[in-house]
Amino acid sequence: MEHIPSIVLLSSDEDTRMRFLGAPAGYEFMSLLEAVVLAGTSDSRLMPESRALIAANVIAPLDIQVFVTPT
């Protein structure tokens, strides 16, 4: 399936698996800027407790999708 327009975020030519489908307008634009900052660093900014919880419970690859609509 094709999604146009789409933005794919890369870091050092590697896929970050972050995608924006559709035009990032309104509140989505701030989400895009935050995603660009995250793609440019190796720090997820998760608390150590969150990292431990994820490491203990996520045992297979996981896709998380966040849907945003303009208001």
Side-chain angles (χ1 to χ4, degrees):
M1 179 187 313
E2 291 185 20
H3 300 280
I4 300 173
S6 296
I7 298 172
V8 176
L9 297 177
L10 304 175
S11 178
S12 300
D13 292 330
E14 290 191 32
D15 191 349
T16 64
R17 299 183 64 200
M18 287 189 269
R19 309 236 181 318
F20 285 79
L21 307 178
Y27 292 114
E28 293 90 0
F29 187 73
M30 289 306 295
S31 298
L32 172 63
L33 292 180
E34 186 172 345
V36 168
V37 170
L38 283 172
T41 181
S42 60
D43 181 17
S44 67
R45 298 189 304 197
L46 290 174
M47 303 277 276
E49 298 83 12
S50 298
R51 290 175 190 253
L53 184 64
I54 292 168
N57 292 289
V58 178
I59 57 173
L62 179 67
D63 287 326
I64 299 173
Q65 297 181 352
V66 178
F67 297 89
V68 192
T69 60
T71 55

